[in-house]
Amino acid sequence: MRLSAAVPPGTPTPDPDCALEDRIGRFATIWGRAIFPVTATSLTRPEFERHLVPLTRTLVDALHARPFDAAVAQRVGADLVAVHCTDPEALAGTLGVVESYLVLYCGPDGSDAEEYRSRCARLQHGIAAGFARALRERTLREQEAIARSAQTARTDAQQALHASEARFRAVFEGAAIGIGIADLDGNVLEVNDTLLQMFGGLDGHVRSRNVSEWGHPDDTPHVWQMYAELVRGEREHYRVEKPYYRHDGTVLWTNLTVSLLRDAEGRPQYQLALMEDTTERRLLNLRLRYEATHDALTGLPNRTLFFERLEKALGGAGGSHFGLCYLDLDGFKAVNDSLGHSAGDRLLVEVADRLQSCATGPGEVVARLGGDEFVALTTGSDTDEKATELAVRILSALSTPIRLDGRELTVRGSIGIVEGPAGVRTPAEVLRSADITMYRAKAAGGNRFEFADAEADARAITRHGLTNALPAALERGEFFIEYQPLVHMHDGSVHGAEALVRWSHPQYGVLGPDRFIPLAERTGLIVPLGRWVLEEAVRQARNWQRQHGGSALRVNVNLSPTQLHHPGLVADTVAVLENSGLAPGALCLEVTESALIGADDELLEPLRRLAALGVDIALDDFGTGYSNLANLRRLPVSVLKLDRSFTQGMQQQPADPVDVKIVEGIVALAHSLELAVTVEGVETGAQAAQLRELGCDTAQGWYYARPGAPDRIHTLSLSDAIPTP
């Protein structure tokens, strides 16, 4: 709900229910003022406004209901007719008030506002539909009453001709609906003035005509069949919605009721037609339908209408196929940010026009789903080829720069294509696959299209599921840490251990960091997760000290690029160390080389402060970031962790001489800068021996121990290391 204005400190917080009732009351007051002057009611205006309060509450409940049901609003339209709000201006006033004030007074704040405006539009449609249905039913009751009166008048005419003729004429001439009488051959004998005006006021266009001349292409197939049955006496009446042409070529839409009049012996004699003009109501319904199914900015079909078309295409007969292109503009946010949303809207309009020019073939349609996302659908045979051609046409149409405010903007787009037979997947599944495929095209550089791949979809869905499960997993304690020993190469003693986080997922089992750390980076959860890892690792290092007579084992903890930029890095690290009682020198923070490429002094300052406190900083994956070696002098690091790619050539003898020279050079460089060298991925004894000869200080890898439980650390030494086959 909409938040109230700020109040001074100490002011009691108002009851939200009371605030809502107050806004409902104000909305009902505005509504009453808008339509009371055109309402034929005996109620006073305050009484009438109080009558609108429960109707307002119904609209508010429907606006916020989940699932949303616009049909509830039909009752509101019917209730208006029930209190004699039958004037068309009353409906127009109601729709205007709902459009302008319902979301404003009773809607939410925030990112859901667009959804609630869409809901409001559908509620307007429901109000209009309910109003029209109730008014029609009321009119039909009047029509039936008139028909009964006409029949009674004719019967009475045989008993008292003059009295019945007067009553019939009063009804006939004064009726608010059109009335016409024709013989059984269809010749029009008499019409009232209301019907004459409905047809344009020209007497000759109505009287002395035959009803068979009033056919229309939009007549339903059974209209003239029912007419034939009526004049033969096989039915007493029928009701249809029927259009007519006026003399000026315009179309008159009516609710038509035709009844058979019999003579005293029961033989068919005349036909009586009662017509209600529904043209304006029909146009209103069409306008509301159009607004509900088309994008207000571009005029393209919107998500609602496109889903209807897609559902129809997917439900086609056996053998039919479809092809769908899902387009997202590359870099559109930069246009809004730099030129403003008005320029962005004009750009979208131009893009929409170009897309429409691309989808001109049979069974092809373009729609805007929202924002800068568009879809194009093609159906028929050979949809694989058609979808490809459609995507090529779209990218070609977008390649021509668009001029806005004297600027030329280059528009690029990424397209995901889904193609296949109808009747296999639901619209939601097709759109999801197309969306996933589009993002694959965007990740590949954009300005291209990709075809959907079931395996890629499954991986993306799994990533999405893991992303959504991450926050709850941290709260439920599903993460745990394994420790891989760091071994002194000269004597095989354990120097410390690297903390490696794992996720015990209830569905996928134990997941390594490569499966979820990138997801945590993108969602921002890496900061609380990284703090938890730091707390657990430091606590474990302190436990090792207590369990083994105070001997210090260093624990290595990885820092992500996001954590490096977090303003609380230094304060959090200091707090964790102080709370645990672990000396700063027993902690080593590992930072990847790629995260520090081009790092300025502002980024390096937190690491320098931590190094000044005694915390070791290790440069992880050294040699993979292509950084300038001269930068080593300005980085606050004390350890280089050599990437395993440089030592794989030493797993067998003789060792790769190129790898040996590279490692020898890096070790010499590091030692000249007073940096220790740690080697990752040591898997064989020959590899370990070669690295020891080259002067490496510490190592870790499966040759010494795999990552495991913390209680294994003090039981390991070089002599009992288990080689990996």
Side-chain angles (χ1 to χ4, degrees):
M1 287 300 177
R2 191 173 301 280
L3 299 176
S4 58
V7 295
T11 302
T13 303
D15 185 352
D17 292 335
C18 294
L20 175 59
E21 287 300 315
D22 179 63
R23 292 193 292 272
I24 287 175
R26 282 186 284 162
F27 181 91
T29 299
I30 295 173
W31 191 1
R33 289 175 180 172
I35 68 174
F36 181 81
V38 294
T39 301
T41 178
S42 61
L43 299 176
T44 64
R45 190 164 73 183
E47 292 173 338
F48 183 73
E49 291 172 358
R50 285 195 294 273
H51 180 80
L52 294 177
V53 169
L55 303 186
T56 301
R57 192 175 290 109
T58 298
L59 291 176
V60 173
D61 291 343
L63 182 66
H64 294 276
R66 299 216 181 255
F68 175 71
D69 183 7
V72 175
Q74 296 183 15
R75 297 201 300 270
V76 176
D79 285 343
L80 290 177
V81 175
V83 293
H84 308 292
C85 294
T86 57
D87 193 289
E89 293 185 14
L91 175 59
T94 295
L95 296 179
V97 170
V98 171
E99 180 181 18
S100 301
Y101 298 102
L102 182 61
V103 175
L104 178 66
Y105 276 78
C106 306
D109 285 328
S111 61
D112 291 333
E114 188 63 30
E115 176 189 353
Y116 279 81
R117 282 193 289 272
S118 175
R119 288 187 171 199
C120 182
R122 294 178 63 185
L123 289 177
Q124 289 176 261
H125 187 277
I127 292 172
F131 184 93
R133 184 181 295 109
L135 186 60
R136 177 184 178 185
E137 291 172 355
R138 175 173 172 165
T139 302
L140 289 176
R141 289 195 296 271
E142 291 180 355
Q143 292 175 348
E144 291 176 356
I146 292 171
R148 287 194 298 270
S149 297
Q151 183 65 34
T152 301
R154 186 182 181 284
T155 302
D156 291 344
Q158 296 176 344
Q159 302 171 359
L161 180 59
H162 296 291
S164 66
E165 178 68 20
R167 286 196 297 270
F168 179 77
R169 281 296 166 187
V171 172
F172 188 81
E173 297 296 342
I177 62 175
I179 303 176
I181 299 175
D183 60 23
L184 296 182
D185 293 328
N187 299 311
V188 178
L189 304 176
E190 190 64 56
V191 296
N192 68 352
D193 188 63
T194 301
L195 188 144
L196 191 64
Q197 294 304 317
M198 287 166 56
F199 276 87
L202 295 181
D203 189 89
H205 189 70
V206 180
R207 289 190 176 93
S208 302
R209 296 285 297 276
N210 192 285
V211 297
S212 62
E213 301 175 26
W214 286 340
H216 191 279
D218 290 337
D219 283 337
T220 54
H222 62 291
V223 168
W224 295 103
Q225 178 183 345
M226 291 189 297
Y227 171 78
E229 293 172 354
L230 182 132
V231 297
R232 290 197 302 265
E234 297 172 2
R235 65 165 56 236
E236 295 301 314
H237 61 83
Y238 64 87
R239 292 175 182 167
V240 294
E241 185 180 31
K242 176 169 169 47
Y244 295 90
Y245 282 120
R246 296 189 180 98
H247 67 91
D248 60 358
T250 59
V251 177
L252 165 70
W253 280 91
T254 69
N255 280 333
L256 172 67
T257 301
V258 182
S259 301
L260 181 65
L261 302 181
R262 298 178 181 270
D263 60 15
E265 286 74 31
R267 293 188 296 269
Q269 189 173 22
Y270 300 104
Q271 47 182 316
L272 174 68
L274 305 178
M275 295 184 186
E276 176 199 3
D277 186 350
T278 62
T279 306
E280 292 297 326
R281 187 161 67 234
R282 182 179 179 84
L283 292 176
L284 173 62
N285 288 337
L286 290 175
R287 181 177 68 85
L288 292 175
R289 165 67 178 171
Y290 181 88
E291 292 177 353
T293 57
H294 286 75
D295 177 53
L297 176 65
T298 64
L300 293 177
N302 62 11
R303 179 183 291 269
T304 299
L305 182 55
F306 182 76
F307 259 83
E308 292 178 6
R309 301 278 179 86
L310 181 58
E311 188 170 14
K312 182 179 180 181
L314 296 179
S320 61
H321 284 67
F322 75 96
L324 185 144
C325 297
Y326 194 114
L327 167 71
D328 183 89
L329 301 183
D330 299 333
F332 177 72
K333 183 177 182 299
V335 176
N336 277 338
D337 292 344
S338 60
L339 302 181
H341 288 274
S342 177
D345 287 347
R346 296 200 302 276
L347 177 66
L348 291 176
V349 171
E350 175 63 26
V351 169
D353 290 342
R354 295 188 181 187
L355 294 182
Q356 278 189 307
S357 68
C358 295
T360 57
E364 294 182 344
V365 62
V366 173
R368 181 189 179 204
L369 297 186
D372 60 333
E373 294 181 340
F374 298 84
V375 284
L377 176 68
T378 182
T379 57
S381 59
D382 300 325
T383 51
D384 187 353
E385 183 178 346
K386 287 183 178 179
T388 302
E389 293 175 353
L390 182 56
V392 170
R393 291 200 302 271
I394 290 174
L395 293 179
S396 176
L398 295 179
S399 64
T400 303
I402 295 176
R403 293 192 61 84
L404 284 180
D405 299 331
R407 299 181 177 88
E408 279 196 354
L409 300 181
T410 301
V411 181
R412 293 159 47 95
S414 300
I415 299 176
I417 300 177
V418 179
E419 185 275 334
V424 177
R425 287 176 283 186
T426 66
E429 291 171 341
V430 170
L431 260 295
R432 181 178 63 181
S433 178
D435 190 24
I436 292 172
T437 307
M438 178 271 293
Y439 277 106
R440 278 202 292 113
K442 192 176 289 288
N447 199 35
R448 58 184 294 150
F449 60 84
E450 295 282 350
F451 275 89
D453 176 74
E455 293 184 0
D457 287 358
R459 290 193 297 270
I461 293 170
T462 300
R463 286 195 301 272
H464 180 71
L466 292 176
T467 301
N468 291 336
L470 272 171
L474 185 58
E475 294 176 3
R476 289 195 295 261
E478 294 178 2
F479 293 98
F480 67 96
I481 298 177
E482 291 185 332
Y483 296 88
Q484 185 170 37
L486 288 161
V487 177
H488 279 296
M489 299 203 74
H490 68 281
D491 62 4
S493 63
V494 176
H495 173 67
E498 181 179 359
L500 301 171
V501 63
R502 305 286 189 259
W503 182 1
S504 181
H505 193 280
Q507 179 181 355
Y508 300 112
V510 176
L511 303 179
D514 58 314
R515 294 287 301 278
F516 60 87
I517 290 298
L519 305 180
E521 282 273 1
R522 287 199 294 269
T523 60
L525 190 70
I526 191 65
V527 173
L529 177 59
R531 181 183 172 90
W532 177 85
V533 172
L534 179 65
E535 290 174 343
E536 288 295 306
V538 167
R539 181 186 60 79
Q540 184 57 58
R542 182 59 176 150
N543 286 342
W544 286 332
Q545 287 185 353
R546 294 192 186 99
Q547 294 168 5
H548 299 278
S551 59
L553 285 180
R554 187 175 67 178
V555 65
N556 287 27
V557 178
N558 291 281
L559 286 183
S560 74
T562 300
Q563 289 176 278
L564 286 176
H565 289 84
H566 192 266
L569 173 62
V570 176
D572 287 349
T573 305
V574 171
V576 169
L577 290 172
E578 290 179 349
N579 292 339
S580 67
L582 186 71
L587 173 65
C588 178
L589 298 178
E590 297 189 9
V591 184
T592 61
E593 180 187 15
S594 58
L596 295 182
I597 292 178
D600 55 18
D601 289 339
E602 182 179 356
L603 179 61
L604 295 177
E605 180 59 26
L607 296 179
R608 288 171 177 159
R609 290 170 58 189
L610 290 171
L613 292 173
V615 176
D616 281 332
I617 308 296
L619 192 60
D620 196 11
D621 297 335
F622 182 76
T624 62
Y626 307 104
S627 62
N628 188 341
L629 294 178
N631 283 335
L632 287 176
R633 292 186 298 178
R634 54 187 292 268
L635 298 179
V637 299
S638 55
V639 180
L640 292 186
K641 291 196 72 173
L642 192 61
D643 186 73
R644 68 182 63 222
S645 62
F646 292 110
T647 63
Q648 287 177 343
M650 302 180 189
Q651 291 181 2
Q652 304 294 332
Q653 291 297 322
D656 187 324
V658 175
D659 285 347
V660 172
K661 288 294 184 181
I662 291 176
V663 173
E664 184 179 19
I666 293 176
V667 171
L669 172 65
H671 287 170
S672 68
L673 296 175
E674 298 183 353
L675 303 177
V677 176
T678 297
V679 184
E680 297 180 300
V682 179
E683 298 185 4
T684 67
Q687 187 182 15
Q690 181 75 64
L691 291 169
R692 184 166 53 251
E693 290 181 12
L694 292 174
C696 296
D697 301 292
T698 56
Q700 64 186 93
W702 286 9
Y703 173 69
Y704 303 106
R706 299 191 182 196
D711 55 6
R712 298 180 54 212
I713 296 300
H714 277 280
T715 65
L716 297 173
S717 67
L718 182 60
S719 60
D720 60 6
I722 303 175
T724 302

